[in-house]
Amino acid sequence: MHMKTQITTLNHIVGLLTLFLIGPAVQAQTSSLTASKYNTIAHRLLWKELALHLKGADTLGTPLEYANFLDGLIDSTASRVSSVTRERGKAIDLQDSTDAIMVLSAIDAILCDAHVVVCIRLQLVSDGLWKRNPEKFPCEIRRCGKEWFPSLSKGDDWRGLDCDLAAIVYVGIGEALGYPIRMVEVPEHSFVRWHFSPAQYLNWDNNSATILTDDQFRHEGSPTSRHPFTKQDEERLHYLESMSDSTVVQYHTLMMAIALGNEKRLEEAETLYLKTLEVCPYAALALNNLAWMYVTEASMSDKGRTADALSYATRADSLDVNNIEYRDTYSCVCAANAQFELAIQIENRARRKPTRLAAYAQRRTCLDIGEQ
């Protein structure tokens, strides 16, 4: 998909402040980091997000409030698991699947107790942990505990986490409490995995609180994201791999780049896209979005970038061969590089937009016809 369709819920983001600037906002975040009881990957990614300049910041939580909320989730998990172990007189066995399911189920229940619902289409941790009234949730799907589409009490403060945001929280809880939980990506979805060893693990779909095998993800997708994929897709795009911390950080960097692109902070978005590709050269979405930005934003469409866009779009299309959105970008990129006949061929295998096909026939580009 193009940048313009990736995030529709982040209208409060208007700019990026680097964490290395000296100023009140950054000092507040630094002091919150120091004051926080834990310093997990979820906390560290949240600090990066809170370095964004937020519109209407007085309506959002303070950095310390966010930190305290994450700390509370960790403490509640520790308390609930400790209660179970006391009752049965036996410590948690990290190699036992029953204990793994107990811990993962406890985290799911604690999120619901804390008024956190599964909320599809939120993109940043801070956006998910932003307290809001139920009618202001931009969710396509909701779940709280065992209840799908729960009736949320108006006037109460609720939070929402998409699949990848919740996975980051799970990983953070695991880091704090010593649980071997990793984040995993499949098409249009993320989930978590409990490792018994590098090659033995249990997949937990945090959107639906169900256990799914790798083959179920390959052939059926998840209950909330039906996107099966081939073995070739898996190898090219690194699906079903347990992410290292550095890979999770770059995944999150991509999410921030998308947010910046939506707010027209284009040079900062470009920097983060390129940073993502340094670590994850197979990140097709980063390749696609960077190419799209280079050929549809006048301020970014200089000759060098337009040529780079062709390389990026070609790579994105070859990595995710069935993604029509990437092919849609590819046709625009070909036109921007004066390859109009190829642009027409690719567009006919993509959206077949009449306005585009007519423009290409007249040797006009997507930028010429005002596509953004």
Side-chain angles (χ1 to χ4, degrees), residues 15-20 26 29 33 41-54 124-126 245-246 248-253 256 260 272 275:
L16 179 64
L17 300 177
T18 173
L19 284 171
F20 303 107
V26 174
Q29 291 155 27
L33 179 58
I41 191 168
H43 290 74
R44 295 189 294 274
L45 298 184
L46 179 61
W47 307 143
K48 289 188 175 186
E49 291 179 17
L50 293 179
L52 295 171
H53 181 60
L54 303 175
L124 294 181
V125 178
S126 55
D245 282 353
S246 63
V248 174
V249 169
Q250 292 312 314
Y251 179 100
H252 179 262
T253 299
M256 292 195 297
L260 291 168
L272 294 189
K275 187 174 181 181

PDB file of all heavy atoms in Angstrom, residues 15-20 26 29 33 41-54 124-126 245-246 248-253 256 260 272 275:
ATOM      1  N   GLY A  15       5.127  16.127  13.918  1.00  0.00           N
ATOM      2  CA  GLY A  15       6.552  16.329  13.705  1.00  0.00           C
ATOM      3  C   GLY A  15       7.398  15.437  14.562  1.00  0.00           C
ATOM      4  O   GLY A  15       6.912  14.891  15.533  1.00  0.00           O
ATOM      5  N   LEU A  16       8.662  15.329  14.231  1.00  0.00           N
ATOM      6  CA  LEU A  16       9.584  14.462  14.964  1.00  0.00           C
ATOM      7  C   LEU A  16      10.639  15.300  15.640  1.00  0.00           C
ATOM      8  O   LEU A  16      11.255  16.137  15.026  1.00  0.00           O
ATOM      9  CB  LEU A  16      10.260  13.489  13.991  1.00  0.00           C
ATOM     10  CG  LEU A  16      11.269  12.526  14.602  1.00  0.00           C
ATOM     11  CD1 LEU A  16      10.566  11.586  15.570  1.00  0.00           C
ATOM     12  CD2 LEU A  16      11.975  11.728  13.523  1.00  0.00           C
ATOM     13  N   LEU A  17      10.813  15.101  16.960  1.00  0.00           N
ATOM     14  CA  LEU A  17      11.891  15.731  17.703  1.00  0.00           C
ATOM     15  C   LEU A  17      12.908  14.672  18.044  1.00  0.00           C
ATOM     16  O   LEU A  17      12.572  13.662  18.634  1.00  0.00           O
ATOM     17  CB  LEU A  17      11.363  16.360  19.005  1.00  0.00           C
ATOM     18  CG  LEU A  17      10.302  17.439  18.844  1.00  0.00           C
ATOM     19  CD1 LEU A  17       9.835  17.905  20.203  1.00  0.00           C
ATOM     20  CD2 LEU A  17      10.853  18.603  18.062  1.00  0.00           C
ATOM     21  N   THR A  18      14.147  14.880  17.697  1.00  0.00           N
ATOM     22  CA  THR A  18      15.151  13.868  17.991  1.00  0.00           C
ATOM     23  C   THR A  18      15.363  13.711  19.480  1.00  0.00           C
ATOM     24  O   THR A  18      15.306  14.671  20.240  1.00  0.00           O
ATOM     25  CB  THR A  18      16.499  14.224  17.336  1.00  0.00           C
ATOM     26  OG1 THR A  18      17.473  13.297  17.786  1.00  0.00           O
ATOM     27  CG2 THR A  18      16.969  15.622  17.686  1.00  0.00           C
ATOM     28  N   LEU A  19      15.635  12.487  19.903  1.00  0.00           N
ATOM     29  CA  LEU A  19      15.856  12.199  21.315  1.00  0.00           C
ATOM     30  C   LEU A  19      17.116  12.874  21.842  1.00  0.00           C
ATOM     31  O   LEU A  19      17.309  12.963  23.056  1.00  0.00           O
ATOM     32  CB  LEU A  19      15.984  10.679  21.519  1.00  0.00           C
ATOM     33  CG  LEU A  19      14.678   9.903  21.479  1.00  0.00           C
ATOM     34  CD1 LEU A  19      14.974   8.407  21.465  1.00  0.00           C
ATOM     35  CD2 LEU A  19      13.804  10.259  22.650  1.00  0.00           C
ATOM     36  N   PHE A  20      17.966  13.355  20.942  1.00  0.00           N
ATOM     37  CA  PHE A  20      19.232  13.919  21.382  1.00  0.00           C
ATOM     38  C   PHE A  20      19.168  15.435  21.534  1.00  0.00           C
ATOM     39  O   PHE A  20      20.158  16.057  21.892  1.00  0.00           O
ATOM     40  CB  PHE A  20      20.350  13.525  20.407  1.00  0.00           C
ATOM     41  CG  PHE A  20      20.464  12.048  20.255  1.00  0.00           C
ATOM     42  CD1 PHE A  20      20.047  11.429  19.099  1.00  0.00           C
ATOM     43  CD2 PHE A  20      20.948  11.263  21.290  1.00  0.00           C
ATOM     44  CE1 PHE A  20      20.130  10.056  18.971  1.00  0.00           C
ATOM     45  CE2 PHE A  20      21.030   9.904  21.159  1.00  0.00           C
ATOM     46  CZ  PHE A  20      20.617   9.294  20.003  1.00  0.00           C
ATOM     47  N   VAL A  26      12.230  16.503  25.834  1.00  0.00           N
ATOM     48  CA  VAL A  26      13.167  15.393  25.904  1.00  0.00           C
ATOM     49  C   VAL A  26      13.606  15.162  27.337  1.00  0.00           C
ATOM     50  O   VAL A  26      13.759  14.034  27.790  1.00  0.00           O
ATOM     51  CB  VAL A  26      14.380  15.660  24.988  1.00  0.00           C
ATOM     52  CG1 VAL A  26      15.437  14.579  25.166  1.00  0.00           C
ATOM     53  CG2 VAL A  26      13.928  15.723  23.540  1.00  0.00           C
ATOM     54  N   GLN A  29      11.009  13.154  29.014  1.00  0.00           N
ATOM     55  CA  GLN A  29      11.056  11.737  28.655  1.00  0.00           C
ATOM     56  C   GLN A  29      12.212  11.040  29.346  1.00  0.00           C
ATOM     57  O   GLN A  29      12.091   9.908  29.804  1.00  0.00           O
ATOM     58  CB  GLN A  29      11.188  11.594  27.134  1.00  0.00           C
ATOM     59  CG  GLN A  29       9.934  12.023  26.400  1.00  0.00           C
ATOM     60  CD  GLN A  29      10.220  12.450  24.993  1.00  0.00           C
ATOM     61  OE1 GLN A  29      11.189  12.005  24.395  1.00  0.00           O
ATOM     62  NE2 GLN A  29       9.393  13.331  24.458  1.00  0.00           N
ATOM     63  N   LEU A  33      12.031   7.924  31.860  1.00  0.00           N
ATOM     64  CA  LEU A  33      12.759   6.682  31.667  1.00  0.00           C
ATOM     65  C   LEU A  33      13.482   6.293  32.949  1.00  0.00           C
ATOM     66  O   LEU A  33      13.504   5.140  33.355  1.00  0.00           O
ATOM     67  CB  LEU A  33      13.745   6.838  30.515  1.00  0.00           C
ATOM     68  CG  LEU A  33      14.633   5.642  30.173  1.00  0.00           C
ATOM     69  CD1 LEU A  33      13.765   4.434  29.833  1.00  0.00           C
ATOM     70  CD2 LEU A  33      15.564   5.961  29.033  1.00  0.00           C
ATOM     71  N   ILE A  41      11.958  -3.335  26.043  1.00  0.00           N
ATOM     72  CA  ILE A  41      11.905  -2.871  24.659  1.00  0.00           C
ATOM     73  C   ILE A  41      10.625  -2.086  24.395  1.00  0.00           C
ATOM     74  O   ILE A  41      10.624  -1.116  23.628  1.00  0.00           O
ATOM     75  CB  ILE A  41      12.055  -4.052  23.678  1.00  0.00           C
ATOM     76  CG1 ILE A  41      12.271  -3.528  22.251  1.00  0.00           C
ATOM     77  CG2 ILE A  41      10.851  -5.001  23.750  1.00  0.00           C
ATOM     78  CD1 ILE A  41      12.703  -4.601  21.270  1.00  0.00           C
ATOM     79  N   ALA A  42       9.525  -2.459  25.049  1.00  0.00           N
ATOM     80  CA  ALA A  42       8.278  -1.703  24.881  1.00  0.00           C
ATOM     81  C   ALA A  42       8.439  -0.285  25.406  1.00  0.00           C
ATOM     82  O   ALA A  42       7.976   0.682  24.779  1.00  0.00           O
ATOM     83  CB  ALA A  42       7.136  -2.408  25.606  1.00  0.00           C
ATOM     84  N   HIS A  43       9.106  -0.130  26.559  1.00  0.00           N
ATOM     85  CA  HIS A  43       9.375   1.201  27.088  1.00  0.00           C
ATOM     86  C   HIS A  43      10.269   1.989  26.141  1.00  0.00           C
ATOM     87  O   HIS A  43       9.992   3.156  25.848  1.00  0.00           O
ATOM     88  CB  HIS A  43      10.071   1.104  28.446  1.00  0.00           C
ATOM     89  CG  HIS A  43       9.224   0.597  29.569  1.00  0.00           C
ATOM     90  ND1 HIS A  43       8.878  -0.730  29.684  1.00  0.00           N
ATOM     91  CD2 HIS A  43       8.675   1.234  30.628  1.00  0.00           C
ATOM     92  CE1 HIS A  43       8.142  -0.887  30.778  1.00  0.00           C
ATOM     93  NE2 HIS A  43       8.003   0.279  31.367  1.00  0.00           N
ATOM     94  N   ARG A  44      11.321   1.355  25.649  1.00  0.00           N
ATOM     95  CA  ARG A  44      12.297   2.072  24.820  1.00  0.00           C
ATOM     96  C   ARG A  44      11.681   2.539  23.499  1.00  0.00           C
ATOM     97  O   ARG A  44      11.977   3.638  23.014  1.00  0.00           O
ATOM     98  CB  ARG A  44      13.517   1.190  24.566  1.00  0.00           C
ATOM     99  CG  ARG A  44      14.295   0.865  25.849  1.00  0.00           C
ATOM    100  CD  ARG A  44      15.608   0.178  25.570  1.00  0.00           C
ATOM    101  NE  ARG A  44      15.479  -1.148  24.986  1.00  0.00           N
ATOM    102  CZ  ARG A  44      15.322  -2.280  25.688  1.00  0.00           C
ATOM    103  NH1 ARG A  44      15.215  -2.239  27.016  1.00  0.00           N
ATOM    104  NH2 ARG A  44      15.258  -3.454  25.075  1.00  0.00           N
ATOM    105  N   LEU A  45      10.822   1.717  22.915  1.00  0.00           N
ATOM    106  CA  LEU A  45      10.152   2.138  21.680  1.00  0.00           C
ATOM    107  C   LEU A  45       9.135   3.239  21.959  1.00  0.00           C
ATOM    108  O   LEU A  45       8.943   4.144  21.137  1.00  0.00           O
ATOM    109  CB  LEU A  45       9.492   0.934  21.011  1.00  0.00           C
ATOM    110  CG  LEU A  45      10.451  -0.178  20.570  1.00  0.00           C
ATOM    111  CD1 LEU A  45       9.697  -1.277  19.834  1.00  0.00           C
ATOM    112  CD2 LEU A  45      11.579   0.358  19.716  1.00  0.00           C
ATOM    113  N   LEU A  46       8.485   3.155  23.110  1.00  0.00           N
ATOM    114  CA  LEU A  46       7.550   4.215  23.488  1.00  0.00           C
ATOM    115  C   LEU A  46       8.268   5.542  23.631  1.00  0.00           C
ATOM    116  O   LEU A  46       7.772   6.579  23.191  1.00  0.00           O
ATOM    117  CB  LEU A  46       6.852   3.839  24.801  1.00  0.00           C
ATOM    118  CG  LEU A  46       5.859   4.857  25.363  1.00  0.00           C
ATOM    119  CD1 LEU A  46       4.720   5.099  24.376  1.00  0.00           C
ATOM    120  CD2 LEU A  46       5.308   4.385  26.697  1.00  0.00           C
ATOM    121  N   TRP A  47       9.491   5.535  24.240  1.00  0.00           N
ATOM    122  CA  TRP A  47      10.225   6.801  24.371  1.00  0.00           C
ATOM    123  C   TRP A  47      10.521   7.384  22.998  1.00  0.00           C
ATOM    124  O   TRP A  47      10.462   8.607  22.811  1.00  0.00           O
ATOM    125  CB  TRP A  47      11.553   6.590  25.117  1.00  0.00           C
ATOM    126  CG  TRP A  47      11.464   5.907  26.446  1.00  0.00           C
ATOM    127  CD1 TRP A  47      12.367   5.019  26.947  1.00  0.00           C
ATOM    128  CD2 TRP A  47      10.444   6.029  27.447  1.00  0.00           C
ATOM    129  NE1 TRP A  47      11.959   4.576  28.181  1.00  0.00           N
ATOM    130  CE2 TRP A  47      10.779   5.183  28.516  1.00  0.00           C
ATOM    131  CE3 TRP A  47       9.263   6.768  27.530  1.00  0.00           C
ATOM    132  CZ2 TRP A  47       9.994   5.050  29.653  1.00  0.00           C
ATOM    133  CZ3 TRP A  47       8.474   6.632  28.667  1.00  0.00           C
ATOM    134  CH2 TRP A  47       8.835   5.792  29.703  1.00  0.00           C
ATOM    135  N   LYS A  48      10.856   6.538  22.045  1.00  0.00           N
ATOM    136  CA  LYS A  48      11.120   7.040  20.698  1.00  0.00           C
ATOM    137  C   LYS A  48       9.886   7.713  20.117  1.00  0.00           C
ATOM    138  O   LYS A  48       9.966   8.764  19.472  1.00  0.00           O
ATOM    139  CB  LYS A  48      11.577   5.902  19.787  1.00  0.00           C
ATOM    140  CG  LYS A  48      12.968   5.384  20.101  1.00  0.00           C
ATOM    141  CD  LYS A  48      13.428   4.406  19.030  1.00  0.00           C
ATOM    142  CE  LYS A  48      14.863   3.970  19.276  1.00  0.00           C
ATOM    143  NZ  LYS A  48      15.380   3.142  18.167  1.00  0.00           N
ATOM    144  N   GLU A  49       8.731   7.092  20.331  1.00  0.00           N
ATOM    145  CA  GLU A  49       7.497   7.682  19.816  1.00  0.00           C
ATOM    146  C   GLU A  49       7.174   9.005  20.509  1.00  0.00           C
ATOM    147  O   GLU A  49       6.699   9.950  19.877  1.00  0.00           O
ATOM    148  CB  GLU A  49       6.334   6.715  20.020  1.00  0.00           C
ATOM    149  CG  GLU A  49       6.413   5.486  19.160  1.00  0.00           C
ATOM    150  CD  GLU A  49       5.258   4.548  19.416  1.00  0.00           C
ATOM    151  OE1 GLU A  49       4.256   4.988  20.015  1.00  0.00           O
ATOM    152  OE2 GLU A  49       5.358   3.376  19.027  1.00  0.00           O
ATOM    153  N   LEU A  50       7.418   9.064  21.814  1.00  0.00           N
ATOM    154  CA  LEU A  50       7.080  10.270  22.554  1.00  0.00           C
ATOM    155  C   LEU A  50       8.041  11.409  22.244  1.00  0.00           C
ATOM    156  O   LEU A  50       7.837  12.535  22.688  1.00  0.00           O
ATOM    157  CB  LEU A  50       7.059   9.981  24.060  1.00  0.00           C
ATOM    158  CG  LEU A  50       5.926   9.044  24.499  1.00  0.00           C
ATOM    159  CD1 LEU A  50       5.978   8.791  25.994  1.00  0.00           C
ATOM    160  CD2 LEU A  50       4.565   9.587  24.104  1.00  0.00           C
ATOM    161  N   ALA A  51       9.083  11.113  21.460  1.00  0.00           N
ATOM    162  CA  ALA A  51       9.926  12.184  20.937  1.00  0.00           C
ATOM    163  C   ALA A  51       9.259  12.881  19.758  1.00  0.00           C
ATOM    164  O   ALA A  51       9.760  13.877  19.269  1.00  0.00           O
ATOM    165  CB  ALA A  51      11.275  11.632  20.509  1.00  0.00           C
ATOM    166  N   LEU A  52       8.119  12.341  19.288  1.00  0.00           N
ATOM    167  CA  LEU A  52       7.341  13.016  18.251  1.00  0.00           C
ATOM    168  C   LEU A  52       6.631  14.209  18.870  1.00  0.00           C
ATOM    169  O   LEU A  52       6.138  14.152  19.989  1.00  0.00           O
ATOM    170  CB  LEU A  52       6.292  12.062  17.668  1.00  0.00           C
ATOM    171  CG  LEU A  52       6.812  10.845  16.905  1.00  0.00           C
ATOM    172  CD1 LEU A  52       5.667   9.909  16.601  1.00  0.00           C
ATOM    173  CD2 LEU A  52       7.515  11.250  15.637  1.00  0.00           C
ATOM    174  N   HIS A  53       6.565  15.282  18.146  1.00  0.00           N
ATOM    175  CA  HIS A  53       5.809  16.453  18.599  1.00  0.00           C
ATOM    176  C   HIS A  53       4.332  16.182  18.352  1.00  0.00           C
ATOM    177  O   HIS A  53       3.906  16.025  17.208  1.00  0.00           O
ATOM    178  CB  HIS A  53       6.264  17.689  17.824  1.00  0.00           C
ATOM    179  CG  HIS A  53       5.566  18.939  18.240  1.00  0.00           C
ATOM    180  ND1 HIS A  53       5.623  19.435  19.521  1.00  0.00           N
ATOM    181  CD2 HIS A  53       4.787  19.778  17.535  1.00  0.00           C
ATOM    182  CE1 HIS A  53       4.908  20.547  19.589  1.00  0.00           C
ATOM    183  NE2 HIS A  53       4.383  20.770  18.398  1.00  0.00           N
ATOM    184  N   LEU A  54       3.556  16.117  19.390  1.00  0.00           N
ATOM    185  CA  LEU A  54       2.160  15.704  19.276  1.00  0.00           C
ATOM    186  C   LEU A  54       1.219  16.900  19.328  1.00  0.00           C
ATOM    187  O   LEU A  54       1.320  17.749  20.214  1.00  0.00           O
ATOM    188  CB  LEU A  54       1.803  14.736  20.411  1.00  0.00           C
ATOM    189  CG  LEU A  54       2.653  13.474  20.508  1.00  0.00           C
ATOM    190  CD1 LEU A  54       2.265  12.673  21.731  1.00  0.00           C
ATOM    191  CD2 LEU A  54       2.478  12.640  19.250  1.00  0.00           C
ATOM    192  N   LEU A 124       0.986   2.974  16.338  1.00  0.00           N
ATOM    193  CA  LEU A 124       2.091   3.232  17.251  1.00  0.00           C
ATOM    194  C   LEU A 124       1.684   2.893  18.679  1.00  0.00           C
ATOM    195  O   LEU A 124       0.516   2.984  19.043  1.00  0.00           O
ATOM    196  CB  LEU A 124       2.527   4.696  17.172  1.00  0.00           C
ATOM    197  CG  LEU A 124       3.136   5.160  15.847  1.00  0.00           C
ATOM    198  CD1 LEU A 124       3.532   6.629  15.940  1.00  0.00           C
ATOM    199  CD2 LEU A 124       4.337   4.320  15.441  1.00  0.00           C
ATOM    200  N   VAL A 125       2.667   2.525  19.485  1.00  0.00           N
ATOM    201  CA  VAL A 125       2.382   2.131  20.865  1.00  0.00           C
ATOM    202  C   VAL A 125       1.718   3.280  21.619  1.00  0.00           C
ATOM    203  O   VAL A 125       0.739   3.086  22.337  1.00  0.00           O
ATOM    204  CB  VAL A 125       3.680   1.701  21.578  1.00  0.00           C
ATOM    205  CG1 VAL A 125       3.397   1.344  23.040  1.00  0.00           C
ATOM    206  CG2 VAL A 125       4.322   0.513  20.869  1.00  0.00           C
ATOM    207  N   SER A 126       2.228   4.497  21.435  1.00  0.00           N
ATOM    208  CA  SER A 126       1.650   5.643  22.139  1.00  0.00           C
ATOM    209  C   SER A 126       0.212   5.884  21.721  1.00  0.00           C
ATOM    210  O   SER A 126      -0.621   6.283  22.539  1.00  0.00           O
ATOM    211  CB  SER A 126       2.494   6.901  21.894  1.00  0.00           C
ATOM    212  OG  SER A 126       2.652   7.137  20.508  1.00  0.00           O
ATOM    213  N   ASP A 245      15.759  -8.465  18.933  1.00  0.00           N
ATOM    214  CA  ASP A 245      15.409  -7.126  19.402  1.00  0.00           C
ATOM    215  C   ASP A 245      15.717  -6.072  18.336  1.00  0.00           C
ATOM    216  O   ASP A 245      14.937  -5.137  18.134  1.00  0.00           O
ATOM    217  CB  ASP A 245      16.169  -6.789  20.687  1.00  0.00           C
ATOM    218  CG  ASP A 245      15.560  -7.448  21.914  1.00  0.00           C
ATOM    219  OD1 ASP A 245      14.481  -8.060  21.785  1.00  0.00           O
ATOM    220  OD2 ASP A 245      16.165  -7.349  23.002  1.00  0.00           O
ATOM    221  N   SER A 246      16.842  -6.225  17.637  1.00  0.00           N
ATOM    222  CA  SER A 246      17.203  -5.228  16.622  1.00  0.00           C
ATOM    223  C   SER A 246      16.208  -5.234  15.467  1.00  0.00           C
ATOM    224  O   SER A 246      15.898  -4.172  14.906  1.00  0.00           O
ATOM    225  CB  SER A 246      18.625  -5.471  16.107  1.00  0.00           C
ATOM    226  OG  SER A 246      18.724  -6.725  15.453  1.00  0.00           O
ATOM    227  N   VAL A 248      12.987  -6.038  15.763  1.00  0.00           N
ATOM    228  CA  VAL A 248      11.779  -5.388  16.292  1.00  0.00           C
ATOM    229  C   VAL A 248      11.948  -3.876  16.265  1.00  0.00           C
ATOM    230  O   VAL A 248      11.026  -3.133  15.890  1.00  0.00           O
ATOM    231  CB  VAL A 248      11.474  -5.875  17.722  1.00  0.00           C
ATOM    232  CG1 VAL A 248      10.310  -5.085  18.320  1.00  0.00           C
ATOM    233  CG2 VAL A 248      11.151  -7.363  17.734  1.00  0.00           C
ATOM    234  N   VAL A 249      13.128  -3.397  16.640  1.00  0.00           N
ATOM    235  CA  VAL A 249      13.387  -1.954  16.626  1.00  0.00           C
ATOM    236  C   VAL A 249      13.226  -1.402  15.215  1.00  0.00           C
ATOM    237  O   VAL A 249      12.612  -0.341  15.012  1.00  0.00           O
ATOM    238  CB  VAL A 249      14.791  -1.653  17.182  1.00  0.00           C
ATOM    239  CG1 VAL A 249      15.179  -0.195  16.912  1.00  0.00           C
ATOM    240  CG2 VAL A 249      14.847  -1.942  18.679  1.00  0.00           C
ATOM    241  N   GLN A 250      13.752  -2.107  14.207  1.00  0.00           N
ATOM    242  CA  GLN A 250      13.635  -1.609  12.838  1.00  0.00           C
ATOM    243  C   GLN A 250      12.214  -1.726  12.303  1.00  0.00           C
ATOM    244  O   GLN A 250      11.771  -0.898  11.511  1.00  0.00           O
ATOM    245  CB  GLN A 250      14.626  -2.332  11.927  1.00  0.00           C
ATOM    246  CG  GLN A 250      16.072  -2.001  12.230  1.00  0.00           C
ATOM    247  CD  GLN A 250      16.324  -0.506  12.373  1.00  0.00           C
ATOM    248  OE1 GLN A 250      15.878   0.299  11.570  1.00  0.00           O
ATOM    249  NE2 GLN A 250      17.029  -0.123  13.440  1.00  0.00           N
ATOM    250  N   TYR A 251      11.481  -2.755  12.732  1.00  0.00           N
ATOM    251  CA  TYR A 251      10.056  -2.854  12.390  1.00  0.00           C
ATOM    252  C   TYR A 251       9.338  -1.607  12.911  1.00  0.00           C
ATOM    253  O   TYR A 251       8.532  -0.992  12.209  1.00  0.00           O
ATOM    254  CB  TYR A 251       9.479  -4.116  13.016  1.00  0.00           C
ATOM    255  CG  TYR A 251       8.003  -4.342  12.766  1.00  0.00           C
ATOM    256  CD1 TYR A 251       7.574  -5.218  11.779  1.00  0.00           C
ATOM    257  CD2 TYR A 251       7.027  -3.677  13.512  1.00  0.00           C
ATOM    258  CE1 TYR A 251       6.223  -5.432  11.543  1.00  0.00           C
ATOM    259  CE2 TYR A 251       5.672  -3.882  13.286  1.00  0.00           C
ATOM    260  CZ  TYR A 251       5.279  -4.759  12.301  1.00  0.00           C
ATOM    261  OH  TYR A 251       3.940  -4.962  12.065  1.00  0.00           O
ATOM    262  N   HIS A 252       9.650  -1.234  14.138  1.00  0.00           N
ATOM    263  CA  HIS A 252       9.026  -0.065  14.756  1.00  0.00           C
ATOM    264  C   HIS A 252       9.489   1.226  14.080  1.00  0.00           C
ATOM    265  O   HIS A 252       8.700   2.167  13.916  1.00  0.00           O
ATOM    266  CB  HIS A 252       9.372  -0.051  16.247  1.00  0.00           C
ATOM    267  CG  HIS A 252       8.819   1.114  16.992  1.00  0.00           C
ATOM    268  ND1 HIS A 252       9.567   2.233  17.273  1.00  0.00           N
ATOM    269  CD2 HIS A 252       7.591   1.333  17.513  1.00  0.00           C
ATOM    270  CE1 HIS A 252       8.828   3.097  17.942  1.00  0.00           C
ATOM    271  NE2 HIS A 252       7.622   2.585  18.104  1.00  0.00           N
ATOM    272  N   THR A 253      10.742   1.268  13.659  1.00  0.00           N
ATOM    273  CA  THR A 253      11.241   2.425  12.929  1.00  0.00           C
ATOM    274  C   THR A 253      10.444   2.633  11.643  1.00  0.00           C
ATOM    275  O   THR A 253      10.119   3.766  11.265  1.00  0.00           O
ATOM    276  CB  THR A 253      12.733   2.239  12.597  1.00  0.00           C
ATOM    277  OG1 THR A 253      13.475   2.126  13.813  1.00  0.00           O
ATOM    278  CG2 THR A 253      13.282   3.407  11.792  1.00  0.00           C
ATOM    279  N   MET A 256       7.196   4.320  12.449  1.00  0.00           N
ATOM    280  CA  MET A 256       7.365   5.758  12.672  1.00  0.00           C
ATOM    281  C   MET A 256       7.595   6.491  11.348  1.00  0.00           C
ATOM    282  O   MET A 256       7.120   7.620  11.168  1.00  0.00           O
ATOM    283  CB  MET A 256       8.509   6.011  13.647  1.00  0.00           C
ATOM    284  CG  MET A 256       8.224   5.534  15.069  1.00  0.00           C
ATOM    285  SD  MET A 256       9.372   6.215  16.303  1.00  0.00           S
ATOM    286  CE  MET A 256      10.919   5.505  15.735  1.00  0.00           C
ATOM    287  N   LEU A 260       5.447   9.690   9.914  1.00  0.00           N
ATOM    288  CA  LEU A 260       6.047  10.939   9.458  1.00  0.00           C
ATOM    289  C   LEU A 260       5.660  11.243   8.015  1.00  0.00           C
ATOM    290  O   LEU A 260       5.398  12.392   7.659  1.00  0.00           O
ATOM    291  CB  LEU A 260       7.567  10.855   9.591  1.00  0.00           C
ATOM    292  CG  LEU A 260       8.089  10.835  11.028  1.00  0.00           C
ATOM    293  CD1 LEU A 260       9.558  10.451  11.050  1.00  0.00           C
ATOM    294  CD2 LEU A 260       7.873  12.178  11.681  1.00  0.00           C
ATOM    295  N   LEU A 272      14.274   7.484   8.140  1.00  0.00           N
ATOM    296  CA  LEU A 272      13.876   6.285   8.877  1.00  0.00           C
ATOM    297  C   LEU A 272      13.635   5.102   7.932  1.00  0.00           C
ATOM    298  O   LEU A 272      13.936   3.959   8.287  1.00  0.00           O
ATOM    299  CB  LEU A 272      12.647   6.563   9.726  1.00  0.00           C
ATOM    300  CG  LEU A 272      12.842   7.559  10.877  1.00  0.00           C
ATOM    301  CD1 LEU A 272      11.617   7.577  11.777  1.00  0.00           C
ATOM    302  CD2 LEU A 272      14.085   7.243  11.690  1.00  0.00           C
ATOM    303  N   LYS A 275      17.026   3.818   7.162  1.00  0.00           N
ATOM    304  CA  LYS A 275      17.571   3.139   8.344  1.00  0.00           C
ATOM    305  C   LYS A 275      16.974   1.740   8.476  1.00  0.00           C
ATOM    306  O   LYS A 275      17.671   0.777   8.801  1.00  0.00           O
ATOM    307  CB  LYS A 275      17.281   3.969   9.593  1.00  0.00           C
ATOM    308  CG  LYS A 275      17.942   3.447  10.852  1.00  0.00           C
ATOM    309  CD  LYS A 275      17.723   4.400  12.020  1.00  0.00           C
ATOM    310  CE  LYS A 275      18.404   3.889  13.282  1.00  0.00           C
ATOM    311  NZ  LYS A 275      18.184   4.802  14.435  1.00  0.00           N
TER     312      LYS A 275
END
